[in-house]
């Protein structure tokens, strides 16, 4: 693996080798792909001011004409919105006050034409729409140039490539819960386990990303007090769906869902709301096992514990990667282990504004809480079946 690549097998030709349908192209495409990373690098190095950047982008919009961004196709409108928000987020390191009015007005006009468009850089735009452009034309939007740009590209594409694996685990557990009499429980849980292992391996590759490389583009996703939350991996929808079908939401997780619903991809919001309601009423795998509605033989019960362990392993990998790239979000000298988390007496406040991540939540508390919930669920399932924890909480 090359040092400037996180993920192998992206399997797409460079964009100049792809024939692009002109009717599906954002009029801002060339600037986003060829000039924005260079301009942002110039601003960071002091060779260009934010005022000069705003003037350059304002001239670009003027040269395109008043109707250039007015399209009828939602898919094209999404890419245009992605481009406009990339331009806006390029100003975020300077504070919201330096964002030029012509860009915010353009975004507002887009939302007026297509109310379903996110008015801020969202997970759906950054990951799903951006990766869609990669698959369709070989293009992808990034803030940084050169080697850093390739690492940033892989960071976005890695989330896109990992999502289907955890979505598969969610769908398999749905089948187990809803059609238990028609499936082999041990076989289904084994398939869940394999999907989660693939997901964990995807996420583990972010451990190769250095702190400096991550922060080179993280600065363009940070929110500001009173503003929208950033486009964070905290809003990857299938991870939340998997947790909801596996175990009931706790009070603190309900707070997270309340605060996050507007930031999940549009397609996932009704599905998350549906499973949130069902899971809170006991329609989840752990509650179904505990009250006897879902009967598992010894092999299936052991595999369910392995599934919970594997999900917790992913959460611990995420904790480790985050601690490496954002060490200031963790208490000095702290050692975060499963054993230490298991000894906690409950979940911590995720709205604590100490060192919030791009999501706007307390990084440490969100991640530690997610592990704590899984360890508590495992303890309940193991106790019911009198299955030993066999030292896996470590």
């Amino acid at each position: 693996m090359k040092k400037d690549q996180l993920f192998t097998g992206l399997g797409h030709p460079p964009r100049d080798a792809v024939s692009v349908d002109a009717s599906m192209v954002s009029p801002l495409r060339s600037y986003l792909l060829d000039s924005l990373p260079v301009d942002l690098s110039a601003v960071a190095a002091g060779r260009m001011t934010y005022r000069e950047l705003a003037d350059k982008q304002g001239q670009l919009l003027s040269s395109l004409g008043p109707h250039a961004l007015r399209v009828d196709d939602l898919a094209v409108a999404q890419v245009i919105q992605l481009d406009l928000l990339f331009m806006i987020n390029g100003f975020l390191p300077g504070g919201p006050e330096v964002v030029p009015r012509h860009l915010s007005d353009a975004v507002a006009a887009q939302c007026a034409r297509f109310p379903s468009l996110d008015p801020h850089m969202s997970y759906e735009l950054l990951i799903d729409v951006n990766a869609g452009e990669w698959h369709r034309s070989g293009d992808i939007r990034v803030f940084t140039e050169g080697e850093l740009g390739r690492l940033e590209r892989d960071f976005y594409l890695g989330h896109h490539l990992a999502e289907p694996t955890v979505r598969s685990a969610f769908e398999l557990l749905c089948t187990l819960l809803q059609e238990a009499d028609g499936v082999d429980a041990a076989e289904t849980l084994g398939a869940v386990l394999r999907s989660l292992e693939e997901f964990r391996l995807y996420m583990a590759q972010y451990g190769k990303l250095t702190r400096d490389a991550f922060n080179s583009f993280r600065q363009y996703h940070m929110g500001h007090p009173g503003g929208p939350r950033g486009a964070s991996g905290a809003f990857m929808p299938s991870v939340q769906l998997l947790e909801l079908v596996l175990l009931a939401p706790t009070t603190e997780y309900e707070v997270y869902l309340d605060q996050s619903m507007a930031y999940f991809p549009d397609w996932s919001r009704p599905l998350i709301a549906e499973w949130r309601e069902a899971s809170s009423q006991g329609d989840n795998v752990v509650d179904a096992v505990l009250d006897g509605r879902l009967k598992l033989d010894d092999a299936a019960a052991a595999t369910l514990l392995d599934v919970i362990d594997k999900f917790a392993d992913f959460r611990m990998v995420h904790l480790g990667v985050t601690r490496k790239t954002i060490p200031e979000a963790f208490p000095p000298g702290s050692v975060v282990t499963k054993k230490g988390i298991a000894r906690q007496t409950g979940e911590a406040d995720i709205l604590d504004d100490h060192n919030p991540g791009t999501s706007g939540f307390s990084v440490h508390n969100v991640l530690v809480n997610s592990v704590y919930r899984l360890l508590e669920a495992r303890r309940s399932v193991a106790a019911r079946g009198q299955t030993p924890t066999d030292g896996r909480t470590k």
Side-chain angles (χ1 to χ4, degrees):
M1 178 179 290
K2 296 179 181 179
K3 67 177 182 177
D4 62 356
Q5 186 173 352
L6 289 177
F7 295 92
T8 58
L10 293 177
H12 206 287
R15 64 185 178 87
D16 58 5
V18 179
S19 176
V20 180
D21 181 353
S23 68
M24 297 296 290
V25 170
S26 163
L28 300 169
R29 172 179 180 263
S30 294
Y31 176 73
L32 264 292
L33 297 175
D34 301 326
S35 300
L36 181 64
V38 177
D39 288 349
L40 294 180
S41 178
V43 171
R47 299 190 303 272
M48 177 185 282
T49 67
Y50 282 118
R51 181 69 265 168
E52 290 170 336
L53 178 62
D55 288 344
K56 178 178 180 178
Q57 294 179 353
Q59 290 169 10
L60 169 64
L61 291 177
S62 295
S63 70
L64 293 173
H67 303 296
L69 305 185
R70 297 179 185 176
V71 297
D72 296 324
D73 189 288
L74 176 59
V76 181
Q78 286 178 317
V79 180
I80 293 173
Q81 191 80 333
L82 174 70
D83 287 349
L84 289 169
L85 289 166
F86 252 88
M87 292 164 71
I88 283 179
N89 279 31
F91 290 88
L92 293 187
E97 64 277 2
V98 303
V99 175
R101 181 67 179 270
H102 56 259
L103 289 179
S104 55
D105 285 350
V107 166
Q110 283 277 99
C111 291
R113 288 192 291 273
F114 293 94
S116 64
L117 289 178
D118 289 317
H120 51 80
M121 182 67 82
S122 63
Y123 182 94
E124 183 170 19
L125 288 169
L126 181 67
I127 303 301
D128 297 339
V129 173
N130 208 8
E133 281 295 282
W134 169 262
H135 288 301
R136 186 180 67 82
S137 64
D139 297 339
I140 194 163
R141 276 64 170 163
V142 294
F143 292 101
T144 54
E145 56 180 341
E147 180 179 331
L148 288 175
R150 289 185 287 274
L151 292 169
E152 183 183 353
R153 171 204 68 183
D154 280 11
F155 186 83
Y156 302 152
L157 289 174
H159 282 77
H160 169 72
L161 294 169
E163 173 97 23
T165 63
V166 71
R167 178 71 181 271
S168 175
F170 159 70
E171 291 171 346
L172 286 163
L173 287 182
C174 288
T175 300
L176 177 63
L177 189 62
Q178 297 170 340
E179 305 173 27
D181 293 338
V183 299
D184 184 307
E187 182 178 310
T188 300
L189 288 166
V192 172
L193 191 62
R194 291 188 293 274
S195 292
L196 285 179
E197 173 59 13
E198 187 177 357
F199 181 59
R200 187 193 67 80
L201 290 174
Y202 266 120
M203 293 296 103
Q205 293 191 67
Y206 290 124
K208 304 182 182 77
L209 191 63
T210 67
R211 181 185 179 188
D212 287 344
F214 179 62
N215 285 328
S216 70
F217 57 88
R218 178 178 181 252
Q219 62 180 320
Y220 300 110
H221 296 297
M222 295 300 295
H224 292 279
R229 298 183 183 279
S232 169
F235 305 125
M236 179 185 277
S238 294
V239 175
Q240 315 313 323
L241 290 168
L242 177 62
E243 176 159 343
L244 288 170
V245 74
L246 187 60
L247 62 145
T250 62
T251 299
E252 200 63 36
Y253 188 54
E254 293 272 19
V255 172
Y256 164 80
L257 292 173
D258 285 338
Q259 295 282 325
S260 301
M261 193 60 75
Y263 297 92
F264 294 127
D266 186 64
W267 66 265
S268 70
R269 293 171 198 167
L271 195 57
I272 290 173
E274 175 187 342
W275 274 100
R276 177 184 182 179
E277 175 64 23
S279 186
S280 66
Q281 299 299 319
D283 197 7
N284 61 74
V285 171
V286 167
D287 280 351
V289 169
L290 293 179
D291 66 22
R293 284 176 291 134
L294 180 59
K295 303 185 186 306
L296 304 179
D297 60 22
D298 289 347
T303 308
L304 175 58
L305 293 179
D306 289 339
V307 164
I308 298 173
D309 286 335
K310 191 64 67 177
F311 198 2
D313 286 346
F314 151 67
R315 295 294 199 182
M316 291 301 297
V317 166
H318 194 180
L319 263 168
V321 171
T322 304
R323 184 171 182 177
K324 174 185 174 182
T325 52
I326 319 175
E328 65 273 15
F330 291 76
S334 67
V335 178
V336 182
T337 64
K338 281 187 181 180
K339 182 178 288 187
I341 294 172
R343 285 198 297 263
Q344 293 183 184
T345 57
E347 297 179 61
D349 180 11
I350 64 169
L351 298 181
D352 176 356
D353 61 4
H354 178 66
N355 288 316
T358 51
S359 66
F361 299 118
S362 166
V363 174
H364 176 273
N365 292 352
V366 164
L367 295 176
V368 169
N369 286 356
S370 67
V371 177
Y372 178 81
R373 291 191 297 269
L374 290 166
L375 296 181
E376 286 294 287
R378 189 190 199 281
R379 184 160 30 218
S380 297
V381 172
R384 183 186 186 281
Q386 298 183 335
T387 304
T389 56
D390 60 21
R392 298 187 193 193
T393 302
K394 57 186 177 182

